[in-house]
Amino acid sequence: MVSSTTAARDESDVGSRRLLIVGSICAALVGLDALIVAPLAPTITRDTHASVDSAGLLVTTYALVYAVTGPLFGPVSDRWGRRNVIITGLTIFSIGTALTGIGSNFAVLLVFRGLAGLGAAMMVPSIFAAVADVVAPERRGRAIGIIMGALTGSSLIGVPVGSFAADAFSWRVSFWAIAVLAALALAVVPLTLPRIPVAATQAAVHPLRAYVDKFRAAFSNPSVLFVLLSTFFWTAGNQGMWANVGVYFTTNFDLSTTAIGLVLLVISAVGVCGNFLGGRLTDRFGKRVVIAAAGLGVAVALIAFSSLDGALVVPVIVAALWVLAFNIGASSITTLVSELAPAARGTALGLNSSALYAGSTVGTSASVAVLSGTHSFVWLGITCAVSCLLVFPIVLGLVHEQAAEAVA
């Protein structure tokens, strides 16, 4: 006869697997929707009679809405429940993406991109929080690495296919295809997503006070603030170089746009492996150790990459190692954030998303200033490396990991 403990463990494992499948599907759709805009932006601006210089607004609007609203829905996820927020976010994301494929006015398209970003901001932090709620601490890093791998890996196939569809038919087809996939996911997710218990709250507490209390609970652990700072510097340093990697290969090796695309595809494929590897390393060696080691690896790789101008194969290998180390660290940082404030997990992860997008924006802007002022990729590499190295003392000296909590 099977004991009740064994049965409960089996049921928990089934719920974890279902959550990982559903979470990976939703994360893959968000990653694809966010990244497919870049290659389509010139065609979209031409078709909507907008200036080519305004193409970046399609990405900026999405990212800005995500950064601003991500923290706002964290407390809602903590109080109302992960499942409800994920389903609502997927619904809004589906509508925003579908409308993007319909819009004909550039200003209206920006609104629709913002709507899609809003849905993504509700979904992704709640998915990470749900995984941390359900998966045992000793396997949590691996689980979060899987979700992050889906978030970044979907673009490896989706973006080239979407670009081909845009060339063959219309840029609108790419968004319609994502919207259809999101609608299919929306039909399945409510049936397969496990119900995750919501922490009990006092009915007498005013909703606004309960909302604010989640932010207080998140920052009651000082380590949360320090990890958010680490996320900011980590993303700023890496994004500062990544935003200019195409210019680097054009300037130093005179590569064509197609050749650069193939090179970046190879580098990104290696980077996705870093998400999965980072999760495993995190579970085995601990989050702070992995983040610190990844920070050192990224800093060395950034300086080496920015200094190379010989045979093409060498900088490609170094860049692949850089992106591999970056994704290892990113998975570990996300896992660490998910554990520092269990009572306000969704809030902490929402704040982390905001720190990520803020770092990306600042890093990209700062890289333009460095290149304009020095005309040197070496100085850009040093600047980006310093930003990543700041994570080393912060994580090892100021961050203390939460003791492993029981899994419901």
Side-chain angles (χ1 to χ4, degrees):
M1 181 176 180
V2 180
S3 66
S4 58
T5 302
T6 303
R9 186 184 302 113
D10 291 342
E11 183 179 351
S12 177
D13 289 342
V14 171
S16 298
R17 286 194 294 270
R18 287 165 53 193
L19 176 59
L20 284 178
I21 293 172
V22 170
S24 296
I25 292 172
C26 293
L29 290 171
V30 170
L32 179 58
D33 184 72
L35 295 175
I36 203 171
V37 173
L40 302 182
T43 304
I44 293 174
T45 54
R46 184 171 61 251
D47 195 34
T48 55
H49 308 291
S51 169
V52 176
D53 295 337
S54 62
L57 292 175
L58 291 166
V59 177
T60 302
T61 301
Y62 183 99
L64 181 62
V65 172
Y66 194 122
V68 172
T69 61
L72 301 180
F73 288 103
V76 178
S77 170
D78 288 328
R79 181 177 172 89
W80 189 32
R82 321 288 186 212
R83 188 175 188 273
N84 294 327
V85 175
I86 292 171
I87 293 174
T88 303
L90 181 58
T91 302
I92 295 174
F93 172 82
S94 304
I95 295 172
T97 302
L99 291 175
T100 301
I102 298 174
S104 57
N105 179 277
F106 188 76
V108 175
L109 281 182
L110 293 181
V111 175
F112 295 154
R113 292 308 298 151
L115 188 63
L118 173 64
M122 296 178 69
M123 266 196 296
V124 177
S126 295
I127 290 170
F128 284 129
V131 169
D133 287 338
V134 172
V135 179
E138 63 271 16
R139 302 195 306 270
R140 190 171 292 157
R142 185 180 306 180
I144 287 180
I146 290 172
I147 301 296
M148 293 199 70
L151 185 66
T152 59
S154 60
S155 63
L156 294 179
I157 298 176
V159 171
V161 171
S163 300
F164 173 78
D167 287 338
F169 304 101
S170 167
W171 60 267
R172 301 178 187 276
V173 173
S174 299
F175 291 103
W176 290 338
I178 297 173
V180 169
L181 292 174
L184 293 175
L186 190 59
V188 175
V189 167
L191 301 176
T192 57
L193 191 65
R195 293 187 178 277
I196 302 167
V198 182
T201 55
Q202 294 181 347
V205 177
H206 190 277
L208 181 58
R209 179 180 174 183
Y211 186 89
V212 174
D213 284 345
K214 288 300 179 182
F215 285 102
R216 290 175 179 168
F219 286 114
S220 64
N221 183 352
S223 292
V224 170
L225 178 60
F226 295 129
V227 176
L228 295 179
L229 194 61
S230 297
T231 296
F232 175 85
F233 285 124
W234 186 251
T235 310
N238 283 278
Q239 186 61 31
M241 180 59 77
W242 184 254
N244 295 281
V245 73
V247 179
Y248 167 88
F249 281 115
T250 299
T251 303
N252 291 348
F253 300 95
D254 196 27
L255 295 187
S256 66
T257 301
T258 301
I260 292 174
L262 292 174
V263 167
L264 296 186
L265 184 64
V266 172
I267 294 172
S268 299
V270 175
V272 171
C273 296
N275 293 129
F276 302 112
L277 180 59
R280 291 178 177 273
L281 292 174
T282 294
D283 290 337
R284 182 170 182 178
F285 297 106
K287 294 164 282 295
R288 293 164 66 242
V289 171
V290 172
I291 295 168
L296 289 176
V298 165
V300 171
L302 282 172
I303 294 175
F305 174 72
S306 63
S307 306
L308 295 169
D309 58 3
L312 177 61
V313 66
V314 178
V316 170
I317 292 174
V318 173
L321 293 175
W322 150 42
V323 177
L324 178 74
F326 166 70
N327 283 344
I328 287 174
S331 291
S332 197
I333 289 174
T334 304
T335 305
L336 180 57
V337 174
S338 74
E339 296 182 349
L340 291 177
R345 185 169 277 145
T347 304
L349 285 161
L351 289 165
N352 191 61
S353 293
S354 185
L356 187 151
Y357 275 99
S360 177
T361 301
V362 171
T364 302
S365 302
S367 70
V368 173
V370 171
L371 279 180
S372 298
T374 65
H375 303 288
S376 170
F377 280 100
V378 175
W379 278 111
L380 178 60
I382 293 173
T383 303
C384 293
V386 169
S387 182
C388 293
L389 275 178
L390 289 173
V391 175
F392 187 91
I394 293 174
V395 168
L396 290 185
L398 300 175
V399 174
H400 302 283
E401 293 189 43
Q402 184 85 3
E405 76 275 10
V407 178

